[in-house]
Amino acid sequence: MDNKSIATVLYETADLLEIDGQDSFRIRSYRNAAQAVENHSEQIKDIIAEPKRVLAISGIGKGMLVNLQELFKDGRLTVQAELLEKYHPSMLQLLKIQGLGPKTISLIWSAYKVSDVDGVEKLAREGKLRELPRMGEKHEAKLLKAIEDFRRISGRFLIDAAETEAEKLTQYLAKFPGFDKITPAGSLRRGRETVGDLDILVTGKACVSEAQREKAVQYVAQYLPLMDVIGQGDNKISFRLRSGMQVDVRLLPPESFGAALQYFTGSKAHNVALRQRALKMGYTLNEYSLADLETENPVAGRTEEEIYAKLKLDYIPPELRENLGEIDAAERHTLPMLITQDDLRGDVHMHTVETDGKNTIEEMAEAAKARGYKYMAITDHSKNLAFANGLDDQRALAHIQRIREANQQNDGITIFAGIEVDILADGELDLSDDVLAQMDLVIASVHSAFNQEPEKMTERLLRAIENPNVSIIGHPTGRIQLRRDAYRFDMNAILTAAAKHKVAMELNSYPDRLDLNDVHLRQAKQRGVKIVINTDSHHTSHLEKIRYGVLQARRAWLTKEDILNTLPAQKFAKSMKHQ
Ligand code: DGT
Ligand code: CA
Ligand code: CA
Ligand code: ZN
């Protein structure tokens, strides 16, 4: 359990206590502890065995320590579990609706004993909520709109959240005797930036006979974070988790595992095209097997590899299965050698305590070295980002000095001195050219005035690209997934200019950004624009998020050659000082 998951449980518990009408002191102690855990720079799981160190965190007292210990021991909190039993776990969903806080939920519960989203929606439509104290017609309409937004957004989850849920469930499933192989399929396996529902495939001895499968399905249904079962069959169970995520678990006999994995990995468009190819070659393809059309005898099914091979195709990596030319390429043996994490030799976008990061230059360097990187860059914010304590010219120069010293002290990794400079509303950069020229690399990013007209935003970005000190455009579209749309501009004009001025585009790996996305990355490649895959880490633990960027790059057909931070340090440094 990482700090963020612990904080979530504590926040939820605070809200539930408030719904339950408990005293405010107790409620506050949970909120304070949640905040303390959330902001704590070391992971609680690493220090939980040493109570003194946990108690040293301000906001955590003896009672809370006991809670944390229970969380690590049992994976749950009795206080929360009891409240969830009393009010039903659907209450947690309700709390996620914008503008619907514990107080209102408590009122609704007292009056109508309703604790789920559908129920509250119904009450609002029937005009029953306006009768509650401090509610009115306007309030009711607003709530209906918020429920609509919630449905739209809550339908999908970020890739990292989906991955975490999949890993937890996999660990649980692995404990059942006779489950030999457990694999996520669907959009998660294809590395999509968001996931609608989880598709988990299981095979092994326990999936062979009907009696065994029945027992196995019963075991799955006992999974603790499960909220309710949506459907259950002989070899499948669908359920909703407390997080709101839906899951399909399928039990498969080993001889059709490959066919099922192929089918349920999708995408649907890829499957349709592949089945057409199979038919043309005299086969049928479904989730059970690839079979001869006439005799119906299976010719492949145990592995995906044998299915693609029988269809006279090179093996197609899951990330490419979107019916965007991959089947043709597999036939002609021209699939790209996709980038892998091992190809990356450095991460060149990260922040430190000097601005809004949580670790020092040295700590970031140690963490980067531990990952096996040969180089890295410290790129703190500039002064326009006042809330992040951004650097002005003078502080930036002093920071360069510190980075250079740290670089001298540290063997085994090259620490480049960089900056993430704001592109101001008119396209001017936030630091003087003189200071920027002294940097090893300059990432220029938009962090303000997102709502400009597209023409103005395009001009703004073009000006930044034309500045000879700029090496990379950071998180180029500014989108925050499930929260904020990209700002509007002419992507083609920007890519053309970037190619001309040899400015690279960032692929920001932070899961809520993943910016550029797969479509834009492919476009960039076609225009000859180079990419740099970064994490934008604000903590040493963020460096591992690079894998989401790598997945996105693979979805865009990118190879080692398309990505600058696969270069050796000297060559990379040169590519940053191009103009
Ligand atoms: P998601 O869950 O919206 O993020 O996206 P997927 O791709 O995981 O879609 P999902 O969960 O509806 O279905 C999993 C896979 O099952 C999908 O990628 C392909 C396969 N599949 C589902 N429905 C169909 C279908 O009607 N025809 C074919 N050929 N395949 C399907
Ligand atoms: Ca899915
Ligand atoms: Ca599904
Ligand atoms: Zn930024």
Side-chain angles (χ1 to χ4, degrees):
M1 234 187 178
D2 64 358
N3 286 359
K4 200 173 159 209
S5 328
I6 301 169
T8 304
V9 173
L10 297 176
Y11 279 125
E12 286 171 356
T13 307
D15 287 343
L16 291 166
L17 287 168
E18 194 170 348
I19 291 170
D20 201 43
Q22 304 248 350
D23 78 86
S24 59
F25 180 77
R26 186 156 181 229
I27 298 165
R28 199 150 17 155
S29 79
Y30 278 87
R31 289 223 171 95
N32 288 345
Q35 211 169 14
V37 168
E38 200 173 28
N39 294 325
H40 197 64
S41 64
E42 57 197 335
Q43 290 292 316
I44 305 295
K45 65 168 180 277
D46 298 333
I47 57 170
I48 191 71
E50 300 166 69
K52 275 205 187 110
R53 289 180 67 189
V54 181
L55 287 170
I57 303 171
S58 108
I60 297 186
K62 286 221 177 76
M64 204 49 68
L65 172 67
V66 173
N67 282 328
L68 292 174
Q69 286 166 333
E70 190 199 354
L71 256 183
F72 281 102
K73 195 168 146 277
D74 304 335
R76 69 204 272 267
L77 217 55
T78 309
V79 197
Q80 193 196 28
E82 282 171 5
L83 288 164
L84 285 176
E85 192 148 332
K86 181 164 172 191
Y87 295 107
H88 196 271
S90 59
M91 203 59 119
L92 295 178
Q93 295 293 108
L94 218 44
L95 280 162
K96 287 191 187 141
I97 290 170
Q98 207 43 257
L100 194 59
K103 286 205 178 64
T104 316
I105 294 177
S106 174
L107 281 174
I108 297 174
W109 173 262
S110 318
Y112 300 110
K113 294 285 174 285
V114 162
S115 69
D116 65 314
V117 179
D118 290 351
V120 169
E121 186 179 21
K122 189 158 171 273
L123 289 173
R125 289 206 189 287
E126 291 167 351
K128 285 193 178 142
L129 292 185
R130 66 186 70 164
E131 291 157 18
L132 295 175
R134 281 175 295 145
M135 285 284 274
E137 231 171 294
K138 258 201 197 133
H139 222 110
E140 216 174 53
K142 240 184 168 165
L143 184 59
L144 280 171
K145 170 80 176 53
I147 289 177
E148 195 182 299
D149 290 345
F150 168 81
R151 287 243 164 78
R152 188 164 38 81
I153 290 175
S154 76
R156 300 197 73 79
F157 294 82
L158 294 180
I159 183 172
D160 59 333
E163 204 184 61
T164 307
E165 290 287 16
E167 276 165 11
K168 277 196 282 188
L169 177 58
T170 302
Q171 277 173 21
Y172 173 76
L173 296 176
K175 291 195 193 118
F176 189 72
F179 281 174
D180 301 336
K181 211 182 316 173
I182 304 154
T183 314
S187 48
L188 180 60
R189 183 158 182 251
R190 301 200 309 282
R192 272 200 65 181
E193 58 199 25
T194 63
V195 168
D197 71 353
L198 287 181
D199 303 280
I200 307 287
L201 306 185
V202 181
T203 191
K205 290 182 288 296
C207 305
V208 179
S209 82
E210 201 177 319
Q212 285 166 316
R213 284 200 300 265
E214 205 169 301
K215 266 200 204 138
V217 166
Q218 272 172 18
Y219 175 76
V220 180
Q222 301 297 314
Y223 184 47
L224 209 56
L226 182 151
M227 185 164 79
D228 46 23
V229 173
I230 301 164
Q232 192 167 327
D234 169 41
N235 58 1
K236 177 187 166 183
I237 171 168
S238 300
F239 52 88
R240 210 189 329 263
L241 296 169
R242 283 188 185 163
S243 59
M245 204 176 293
Q246 258 177 242
V247 187
D248 296 333
V249 175
R250 292 186 170 83
L251 312 180
L252 306 153
E255 66 275 11
S256 26
F257 188 72
L261 185 58
Q262 196 291 312
Y263 183 90
F264 291 111
T265 296
S267 66
K268 194 172 161 182
H270 175 86
N271 286 354
V272 169
L274 203 64
R275 190 165 54 220
Q276 278 164 359
R277 180 183 178 86
L279 284 173
K280 266 194 223 145
M281 295 175 70
Y283 298 119
T284 56
L285 176 63
N286 56 32
E287 63 264 51
Y288 306 107
S289 67
L290 180 72
D292 189 284
L293 199 53
E294 309 243 299
T295 65
E296 293 182 7
N297 285 335
V299 297
R302 205 167 268 275
T303 67
E304 283 190 321
E305 282 78 1
E306 62 181 27
I307 293 172
Y308 284 102
K310 274 277 185 253
L311 293 172
K312 296 201 166 16
L313 296 172
D314 292 343
Y315 179 76
I316 302 176
E319 296 92 332
L320 297 186
R321 299 184 196 169
E322 299 290 347
N323 195 29
L324 293 170
E326 72 277 11
I327 295 179
D328 269 0
E331 181 181 78
R332 288 184 278 109
H333 310 295
T334 56
L335 283 172
M337 276 284 287
L338 297 179
I339 175 89
T340 66
Q341 259 193 83
D342 287 344
D343 293 328
L344 295 179
R345 302 199 203 199
D347 183 340
V348 296
H349 185 167
M350 60 189 84
H351 300 268
T352 69
V353 285
E354 183 63 17
T355 61
D356 60 350
K358 292 275 192 283
N359 292 101
T360 62
I361 301 171
E362 288 77 13
E363 286 163 348
M364 294 309 286
E366 281 313 315
K369 210 157 78 174
R371 291 190 61 83
Y373 287 144
K374 297 284 180 265
Y375 54 89
M376 60 184 276
I378 298 293
T379 54
D380 272 306
H381 287 293
S382 66
K383 63 183 182 298
N384 186 50
L385 223 53
F387 64 81
N389 190 24
L391 309 175
D392 58 15
D393 278 354
Q394 225 178 1
R395 279 178 64 210
L397 288 174
H399 202 38
I400 293 183
Q401 208 45 48
R402 272 193 297 272
I403 298 167
R404 301 237 184 274
E405 275 160 28
N407 186 36
Q408 296 244 304
Q409 306 285 320
N410 202 318
D411 295 334
I413 191 160
T414 302
I415 311 172
F416 292 123
I419 190 92
E420 181 182 17
V421 66
D422 267 39
I423 304 173
L424 304 176
D426 58 359
E428 189 82 15
L429 298 183
D430 193 25
L431 293 172
S432 72
D433 286 337
D434 201 37
V435 170
L436 294 177
Q438 299 185 45
M439 303 279 174
D440 298 321
L441 67 94
V442 172
I443 302 174
S445 306
V446 168
H447 289 127
S448 60
F450 299 116
N451 293 325
Q452 288 177 336
E453 287 303 311
E455 295 74 29
K456 187 138 190 249
M457 187 60 87
T458 306
E459 279 305 309
R460 178 180 180 183
L461 290 165
L462 283 176
R463 258 193 90 184
I465 289 170
E466 285 160 11
N467 183 312
N469 292 312
V470 170
S471 336
I472 303 170
I473 299 295
H475 43 74
T477 78
R479 72 150 173 192
I480 304 289
Q481 291 206 82
L482 310 179
R483 273 211 335 257
R484 187 174 80 203
D485 286 342
Y487 36 78
R488 293 165 303 147
F489 65 98
D490 181 346
M491 180 63 80
N492 274 331
I494 295 309
L495 293 177
T496 306
K500 177 172 161 209
H501 292 277
K502 294 201 163 55
V503 167
M505 289 284 141
E506 180 176 69
L507 162 47
N508 190 300
S509 306
Y510 224 83
D512 58 0
R513 287 195 183 271
L514 287 170
D515 184 6
L516 293 176
N517 69 16
D518 48 1
V519 173
H520 290 143
L521 287 168
R522 218 173 158 186
Q523 221 172 317
K525 174 178 173 140
Q526 279 156 4
R527 289 178 183 264
V529 177
K530 296 291 182 201
I531 305 297
V532 178
I533 307 181
N534 285 326
T535 54
D536 199 350
S537 286
H538 286 68
H539 188 281
T540 49
S541 67
H542 295 167
L543 289 171
E544 58 115 15
K545 297 186 190 299
I546 199 81
R547 61 211 168 96
Y548 304 114
V550 172
L551 277 172
Q552 189 84 329
R554 289 169 65 86
R555 289 180 55 79
W557 295 53
L558 301 191
T559 67
K560 203 174 157 178
E561 288 69 37
D562 301 315
I563 292 157
L564 292 176
N565 48 332
T566 61
L567 293 169
Q570 289 312 314
K571 279 196 178 151
F572 174 79
K574 228 169 132 190
S575 75
M576 295 288 101
K577 290 288 204 185
H578 47 277
Q579 302 191 38

